Amino acid sequence: MPENVSFFAALAVGFFGGVHCVGMCGGIVGALTFGLPAETRERFGRLFPYLLAYNLARITSYTVAGAIAGTVGLLGLSLVPMQQAQLVLLGIAGLFMVMMGLYVGGWWFGLTRIERFGSRLWRFIEPVGRRLMPVRSPGQAFGLGLVWGWLPCGLVYSVLIWALSAGGPLQGALLMLGFGLGTLPNLLAMGAFAGQLSAFVRRPWVRRVAGGMVVAFGVYQLLLAGARLAG
């Protein structure tokens, strides 16, 4: 699948998976916000730099993880015949895109089970985040966001598995960057507008259309892998 299509597909997964993101990370954003002094918390112009730093750092962690996944996938290509490995990774990516589409559309929630695999790593990372609380500067918020980016999340992990087949570190990083940017509106705009945004993405028809689009991308990728194998 062309890189720009993968990027926009990941963007859609991040945005329309926003209800899950708000549920998983909304408490962290709330803790950051209510831990700030009242004069900062009550004026959006003062609060915004904290939220922006926090979320940009989170997306940075996603992008780094995507580069790592892309590198691992590229190294895997060297262990088996190149054409066969590419077809396998292409098929895996298509399968996970279908799974993500089913998740976004609200038809299947099995991806949440993947979060268990990250819980052990999180036990070592989470204490670092505690030391950065309470946040008193945008710099601290950025540091906390870097930690937050490694929070166990089935949706994030599924996109990382997708990044394994991206073709290399740059492609994997780009894919995770797209996903992270897709999650940004829901988490950056938490407040009055976030409520309206969450209500929009929660509408069944919106989620089904978005999920159907992602499933279609995945089916296309599976068909592409099958056609190359048959050829």
Side-chain angles (χ1 to χ4, degrees):
M1 178 178 293
E3 289 178 23
N4 59 332
V5 176
S6 295
F7 177 85
F8 286 112
L11 193 74
V13 169
F15 180 75
F16 289 103
V19 172
H20 177 75
C21 293
V22 170
M24 284 287 293
C25 303
I28 302 175
V29 176
L32 167 70
T33 302
F34 289 106
L36 294 171
E39 60 271 18
T40 300
R41 187 172 67 242
E42 294 171 359
R43 297 186 62 179
F44 185 74
R46 294 182 178 180
L47 177 62
F48 184 75
Y50 291 84
L51 296 177
L52 183 63
Y54 206 52
N55 282 282
L56 288 181
R58 175 180 58 85
I59 295 172
T60 297
S61 290
Y62 290 170
T63 305
V64 170
I68 294 172
T71 300
V72 171
L74 184 62
L75 292 175
L77 292 175
S78 64
L79 302 178
V80 294
M82 178 69 72
Q83 185 176 5
Q84 181 181 352
Q86 287 177 331
L87 289 176
V88 170
L89 290 178
L90 191 65
I92 291 174
L95 178 61
F96 269 89
M97 286 188 70
V98 171
M99 293 167 63
M100 282 187 287
L102 293 174
Y103 174 86
V104 170
W107 298 302
W108 180 72
F109 298 96
L111 287 179
T112 55
R113 299 174 185 173
I114 301 176
E115 294 168 8
R116 300 173 187 172
F117 293 100
S119 59
R120 294 182 180 179
L121 175 63
W122 181 245
R123 279 199 291 256
F124 294 98
I125 299 176
E126 189 267 343
V128 178
R130 285 187 187 178
R131 297 191 189 101
L132 295 170
M133 298 289 284
V135 172
R136 289 292 179 262
S137 70
Q140 273 186 285
F142 190 87
L144 190 58
L146 290 175
V147 176
W148 175 25
W150 301 94
L151 179 73
C153 172
L155 197 59
V156 172
Y157 291 165
S158 66
V159 182
L160 276 175
I161 295 172
W162 180 10
L164 283 170
S165 67
L170 180 60
Q171 294 88 338
L174 183 64
L175 194 146
M176 287 301 295
L177 174 63
F179 170 76
L181 291 175
T183 67
L184 188 59
N186 281 284
L187 294 172
L188 185 60
M190 290 195 70
F193 180 66
Q196 299 171 11
L197 193 60
S198 295
F200 175 73
V201 298
R202 196 180 294 119
R203 292 177 182 174
W205 73 267
V206 174
R207 299 198 59 158
R208 288 169 187 164
V209 169
M213 290 174 60
V214 177
V215 168
F217 287 141
V219 171
Y220 167 78
Q221 193 141 311
L222 287 170
L223 292 175
L224 185 62
R228 289 182 181 179
L229 183 62

